[in-house]
Amino acid sequence: MAGDGGGRGGAAGPGTEPQAPATAEAEAEAAAEAAAAADLQVAGWVDRDAAVVWHGFTQMAAYADNQPLVIERAEGRELIDVAGHRYLDAISSLWVNTLGHRVPELDAALVAQVGRVAHSTMLGNGNSVVVELAEALAAVVPVDGPHFLFAADGAVAVEQALKIAFQFWVNRGEPQRARFLALGDAYHGDTVGALSVGDGGFSTSVFDPLRFPVLRTPGYADPGWSAKACAAVSAHGSELAAVVVEPLVQGAAGMLCAAPGDVAALGRACQEAGVLLICDEVATGFGRTGTLFASEQCGLRPDLLCLGKGITGGYLAMSATVASDRVFDAFLGEDLGPRTFFHGHSYGGNALAAAVALEHLRLIGAHQVLDNVADRSAQLARLLDREVAGRPDVAAVRQRGLMVGVELAPPGPGLRWGRRVCAGAVRRGVLLRPLGDVVVVMPPLTITEVEITRIVDALAGSLAEVVG
Ligand SMILES: Cc1ncc(COP(=O)(O)O)c(C=O)c1O
């Protein structure tokens, strides 16, 4: 099975080691028995899983047939399944993991915080570790006079930003500024507001009746996207609350990349029209693109910045909407008065997540993680260029830092090349997951030289096997 790890670089699990067989034949027999036992073990967990768990973006009637992995533990950048098979986590557990799994310092920060308090509400009260985190983040985010509204998911960080932008103009006495401009191919999450500024895709058209209308201009796939967006901002500025953008990379669209200057131009157009700029850095934040935030490469100082995914290094659910002091100040007024932002989530500012996020931020600097991103992304670019990009079945390789999309070019629809190529990589012990026919490669930021080679070998090997 695609997810069984049999015969790949993974060690067998406890209790599956062959017992010193006397002959080569006996050795092969013992190995086959161990593999069969491991398969059974995995299948048992998959059955239990399918019986009670509902997986996101997954057709549950086909879940078990698609040979899912059931992970039990991890070491470094490898995930280990219930039968002991190892998989290099080359998608950073859906783009959240930064430093690898079970980082001793992050583990220790979590344990230390458990000894203090796991969670206390942020509604009307504070928590010391959350204050420390906000102070540390304030020193590095590209936002003027930043204030942090914490939540748990990236979509909620976006949802909060939309509501803040909307109320900002109400509080300022300009309620007619109520529309949002968003880009084609955008993805901002799955809550209804985030879905609305997102541009569909992922079979979400069933929810179209729930979406509120937005002003849509083309995404990064159109070379003229920036000029078109800037023109729309100038033409509709007086009715726009904000422009929402994923700076540099539209990740879920298949790693569509923009030139920093084009994104900068959009930022300037917003300033000239007095429209708020919301930068959604849920995917690009915390070093993925080579700088701590992609906005930095574009020279942007957004009014609202959305953070999530990597904020805790991939340990715990945390997100944040960061508002500039100009935005924040518009909400100041009398106690319980109408200028108040009446919004907040039970687990916003979770203390365990904050403690890990604080230590994570320190480690990014202390371990010079961005230097590793520069070195390893250059190596990855070289290897992909040599082993993958020139193939006739590959349409494009797009990369910013350690965010990579390899777009396959199947000869017709319905061939599921993306899924089949990733399954082939999994059989080789490297966990990849596609976006349609785009194979995403997004390893942890501490990935090593040897591991980068392992990822490209698995991808190239799988491509050769699946598409010839
Ligand atoms: C740019 C962007 N915004 C928002 C989200 C939603 O984040 P979450 O899945 O944590 O809700 C994602 C998720 O991939 C994303 O890529």
Side-chain angles (χ1 to χ4, degrees):
M1 59 195 284
D4 70 0
R8 65 188 71 116
T16 58
E17 294 287 333
Q19 296 299 306
T23 66
E25 202 177 300
E27 193 173 318
E29 204 174 302
E33 265 172 32
D39 277 357
L40 264 181
Q41 201 170 353
V42 172
W45 276 101
V46 169
D47 285 348
R48 287 172 61 183
D49 180 348
V52 288
V53 181
W54 191 342
H55 294 262
F57 281 105
T58 303
Q59 173 45 254
M60 290 309 297
Y63 173 70
D65 295 339
N66 282 320
Q67 295 140 353
L69 308 184
V70 181
I71 300 302
E72 185 185 70
R73 59 203 167 91
E75 272 172 27
R77 284 157 295 278
E78 284 188 329
L79 297 167
I80 304 169
D81 79 1
V82 286
H85 305 124
R86 288 168 174 269
Y87 303 89
L88 184 57
D89 188 358
I91 50 167
S92 298
S93 287
L94 218 68
W95 318 357
V96 300
N97 190 280
T98 57
L99 309 181
H101 300 273
R102 290 178 53 202
V103 178
E105 295 94 330
L106 297 184
D107 291 0
L110 180 56
V111 170
Q113 186 60 38
V114 168
R116 294 184 196 108
V117 60
H119 180 72
S120 67
T121 182
M122 297 298 290
L123 305 189
N125 293 288
N127 184 299
S128 56
V129 73
V130 180
V131 175
E132 288 171 345
L133 172 63
E135 286 171 347
L137 285 169
V140 295
V141 291
V143 174
D144 297 326
H147 297 264
F148 295 80
L149 180 62
F150 289 100
D153 289 291
V156 176
V158 173
E159 202 80 27
Q160 294 182 156
L162 298 175
K163 288 178 73 178
I164 290 171
F166 177 86
Q167 191 181 338
F168 171 82
W169 293 111
V170 173
N171 287 1
R172 299 256 305 220
E174 296 184 63
Q176 75 284 359
R177 286 181 175 262
R179 293 181 78 191
F180 293 92
L181 185 149
L183 300 186
D185 293 318
Y187 179 76
H188 297 288
D190 296 326
T191 55
V192 172
L195 260 187
S196 301
V197 285
D199 189 25
F202 303 113
S203 306
T204 59
S205 56
V206 64
F207 300 119
D208 283 354
L210 296 181
R211 292 180 149 112
F212 60 73
V214 303
L215 183 59
R216 182 88 54 200
T217 58
Y220 296 165
D222 179 340
W225 76 268
S226 176
K228 290 172 188 166
C230 292
V233 170
S234 310
H236 298 276
S238 60
E239 64 199 71
L240 287 177
V243 169
V244 191
V245 67
E246 296 158 85
L248 268 195
V249 186
Q250 292 187 307
M255 307 300 149
L256 300 176
C257 298
D262 283 350
V263 188
L266 179 57
R268 280 195 303 277
C270 287
Q271 263 181 349
E272 280 157 23
V275 173
L276 296 180
L277 176 66
I278 302 174
C279 280
D280 177 355
E281 293 233 31
V282 169
T284 52
F286 296 96
R288 255 338 131 181
T289 67
T291 45
L292 200 52
F293 300 101
S295 296
E296 296 168 37
Q297 291 177 57
C298 308
L300 294 177
R301 309 281 303 171
D303 303 286
L304 289 155
L305 175 69
C306 303
L307 304 176
K309 287 195 186 278
I311 189 169
T312 61
Y315 264 53
L316 287 153
M318 174 174 253
S319 66
T321 309
V322 192
S324 69
D325 47 7
R326 172 177 170 243
V327 171
F328 178 80
D329 288 352
F331 286 76
L332 301 179
E334 63 177 298
D335 194 15
L336 295 176
R339 293 169 80 99
T340 312
F341 187 51
F342 289 107
H343 176 115
H345 293 273
S346 308
Y347 277 102
N350 176 258
L352 295 179
V356 172
L358 182 61
E359 179 64 357
H360 172 244
L361 199 56
R362 188 187 73 77
L363 291 180
I364 288 181
H367 292 185
Q368 292 158 344
V369 171
L370 295 181
D371 291 347
N372 193 58
V373 174
D375 292 345
R376 298 287 68 83
S377 56
Q379 179 201 0
L380 185 54
R382 277 195 308 275
L383 289 183
L384 287 173
D385 192 46
R386 200 175 72 202
E387 309 288 338
V388 172
R391 295 179 56 98
D393 37 57
V394 170
V397 175
R398 296 183 283 267
Q399 179 177 3
R400 282 281 184 283
L402 285 176
M403 290 180 88
V404 180
V406 176
E407 184 170 345
L408 306 177
L415 295 173
R416 297 178 167 214
W417 272 16
R419 183 181 274 208
R420 287 166 57 208
V421 167
C422 289
V426 170
R427 283 195 294 278
R428 289 164 172 78
V430 172
L431 180 57
L432 292 176
R433 185 182 156 86
L435 290 161
D437 279 325
V438 177
V439 175
V440 173
V441 181
M442 207 187 287
L445 310 183
T446 51
I447 196 83
T448 64
E449 189 173 358
V450 170
E451 288 166 338
I452 287 282
T453 304
R454 189 173 149 196
I455 293 169
V456 177
D457 283 352
L459 175 56
S462 178
L463 271 171
E465 176 195 11
V466 173
V467 305

